[in-house]
Amino acid sequence: AMANSSRDEYGGLEICFHDVEYSSPLCARAATFSVLAILTLIACVLKAIRLYRGVTFEKYHFIVFLLAIAECLLLIGHWAIWNVLVLHFIAIYLLVNQFLVMCIFYGGLAVKISQRTHLLARLYYPAAGLICAYFTGVLIYAALNIQRNRDECHEPQWLLFSSSQIVLAQLFLFAGTLLHRAMNGVRVDNRYMLQKKRALWSLIIVFEVSSIACFAYDLAFMLGDKDCVLNFGVPGSAEYTLVVWPQNILSFLLPIWVMLAVLRPGMSRSVAASQLVSVIQTNTSPPAPLDGYEDGFESDYSVSTPLLRN
């Protein structure tokens, strides 16, 4: 079956098996996005397992990857199986909540390092709750007002989501800047701190890119032709594919890929135990930190240098 709407542009992999409705661009998009979503899902599941088994349980990171797993499942359903526009909106909702969790985490870390913890309960967490409630309200509004016609791209729910992503990305940038300044005043090994700053700014940049891509795409539809199909060409055209391909990757998948790369789990409990036994038996100092692994810095807001990492 073809799309239910001009932006919900294809009916999944079944388009590849329709002799009459077969379209190479549609089939290529469905297959490529489905494979990428499946591979991303597998990576997120493995990452969540490693986070859960780590010595220090990074709860914010774990929550982010649970949201990413749910997002990937919805994207697989949307891109590979069902042509249901509400899945697209729920995937956006899960994406922006990943942004929000990272914003809460790094902003809270900055507040704690700067020794202004009283602001967390009075201002920071209530504000985060209001933002989450706003996105929930937008999702409900979008689900109840889905249009299946050729001018649905002019409905307000698209820009309500993407414009809010822009604002949330700027809040994350502000929180990241505060944290960066706070980290400059912490006496920790330079190599270790550089790794933390690199992870922080990688997330800031990818959230900015993702939010701008979403907003630009939605704005182009909103300001374009009343017939949404005419804005970037018909869904089965190569021109439309050249727009949708990078847009979906930048909006949905790239943020998850970057988080997979920079949010690294700590060593497993078994490795930590064996290293600790070795230290006790040999009466030596713990091994120095190794590149590529996280510790409790993020999870408990500690500012001490890690001792045991595999």
Side-chain angles (χ1 to χ4, degrees), residues 15-77:
I15 196 67
C16 300
F17 306 100
H18 276 245
D19 294 334
V20 177
E21 297 180 348
Y22 175 79
S23 168
S24 295
L26 289 176
C27 180
R29 289 206 303 272
T32 302
F33 290 147
S34 300
V35 170
L36 290 175
I38 291 171
L39 294 177
T40 304
L41 171 65
I42 294 172
C44 288
V45 170
L46 294 176
K47 180 74 75 172
I49 292 173
R50 292 189 63 192
L51 286 168
Y52 181 77
R53 296 176 59 188
V55 174
T56 55
F57 181 62
E58 295 96 343
K59 59 183 179 181
Y60 288 97
H61 297 178
F62 187 71
I63 292 172
V64 163
F65 284 110
L66 288 183
L67 291 171
I69 288 170
E71 179 191 342
C72 288
L73 288 171
L74 287 174
L75 291 177
I76 292 170

Side-chain angles (χ1 to χ4, degrees), residues 106 109-110 113-114 175-201 297-298 302-303:
Y106 281 106
L109 181 55
I113 290 180
S114 62
T177 302
L178 291 180
L179 178 58
H180 183 95
R181 293 176 179 175
M183 292 168 71
N184 288 335
V186 178
R187 295 182 179 180
V188 182
D189 178 69
N190 289 336
R191 184 182 62 171
Y192 170 72
M193 192 58 69
L194 181 62
Q195 176 187 346
K196 298 300 178 184
K197 291 178 180 178
R198 186 184 301 118
L200 171 63
W201 285 101
F297 182 89
E298 286 92 347
S302 169
V303 294

Side-chain angles (χ1 to χ4, degrees), residues 11-302:
L13 290 174
E14 67 171 325
I15 196 67
C16 300
F17 306 100
H18 276 245
D19 294 334
V20 177
E21 297 180 348
Y22 175 79
S23 168
S24 295
L26 289 176
C27 180
R29 289 206 303 272
T32 302
F33 290 147
S34 300
V35 170
L36 290 175
I38 291 171
L39 294 177
T40 304
L41 171 65
I42 294 172
C44 288
V45 170
L46 294 176
K47 180 74 75 172
I49 292 173
R50 292 189 63 192
L51 286 168
Y52 181 77
R53 296 176 59 188
V55 174
T56 55
F57 181 62
E58 295 96 343
K59 59 183 179 181
Y60 288 97
H61 297 178
F62 187 71
I63 292 172
V64 163
F65 284 110
L66 288 183
L67 291 171
I69 288 170
E71 179 191 342
C72 288
L73 288 171
L74 287 174
L75 291 177
I76 292 170
H78 181 53
W79 289 338
I81 306 172
W82 300 291
N83 183 27
V84 181
L85 192 56
V86 69
L87 295 181
H88 181 92
F89 285 121
I90 299 175
I92 295 176
Y93 176 76
L94 294 172
L95 174 67
V96 296
N97 275 284
Q98 293 168 53
F99 286 20
L100 181 59
V101 171
M102 285 288 94
C103 190
I104 294 172
F105 169 64
Y106 281 106
L109 181 55
V111 169
K112 288 193 173 185
I113 290 180
S114 62
Q115 299 181 346
R116 299 176 180 176
T117 54
H118 63 282
L119 295 177
L120 290 175
R122 294 181 183 178
L123 178 63
Y124 203 74
Y125 293 148
L130 289 175
I131 294 173
C132 183
Y134 168 81
F135 284 124
T136 303
V138 174
L139 174 64
I140 295 173
Y141 174 81
L144 295 177
N145 292 275
I146 291 177
Q147 303 293 325
R148 293 181 174 86
N149 51 53
R150 295 170 69 95
D151 63 352
E152 51 78 32
C153 66
H154 298 283
E155 294 297 315
Q157 55 263 33
W158 298 101
L159 280 179
L160 285 175
F161 263 124
S162 56
S163 60
S164 302
Q165 285 178 255
I166 289 284
V167 174
L168 188 56
Q170 306 321 306
L171 291 176
F172 186 45
L173 173 61
F174 177 72
T177 302
L178 291 180
L179 178 58
H180 183 95
R181 293 176 179 175
M183 292 168 71
N184 288 335
V186 178
R187 295 182 179 180
V188 182
D189 178 69
N190 289 336
R191 184 182 62 171
Y192 170 72
M193 192 58 69
L194 181 62
Q195 176 187 346
K196 298 300 178 184
K197 291 178 180 178
R198 186 184 301 118
L200 171 63
W201 285 101
S202 296
L203 292 171
I204 291 174
I205 291 172
V206 75
F207 286 175
E208 290 283 352
V209 170
S210 177
S211 61
I212 292 172
C214 288
F215 181 75
Y217 188 65
D218 292 342
L219 187 63
F221 269 111
M222 183 67 71
L223 299 179
D225 195 285
K226 184 174 177 59
D227 187 342
C228 300
V229 175
L230 301 179
N231 285 318
F232 296 113
V234 296
S237 67
E239 294 82 4
Y240 189 79
T241 298
L242 291 176
V243 175
V244 171
W245 230 325
Q247 194 276 332
N248 279 345
I249 291 176
L250 291 175
S251 299
F252 291 106
L253 297 178
L254 185 61
I256 298 178
W257 295 344
V258 172
M259 288 189 291
L260 284 168
V262 303
L263 300 181
R264 300 174 182 177
M267 59 183 173
S268 65
R269 295 182 178 90
S270 60
V271 173
S274 64
Q275 286 194 3
L276 184 58
V277 169
S278 176
V279 168
I280 294 173
Q281 289 177 344
T282 60
N283 194 29
T284 59
S285 299
L290 300 178
D291 291 333
Y293 291 89
E294 296 296 311
D295 54 272
F297 182 89
E298 286 92 347
S299 59
D300 62 4
Y301 302 101
S302 169

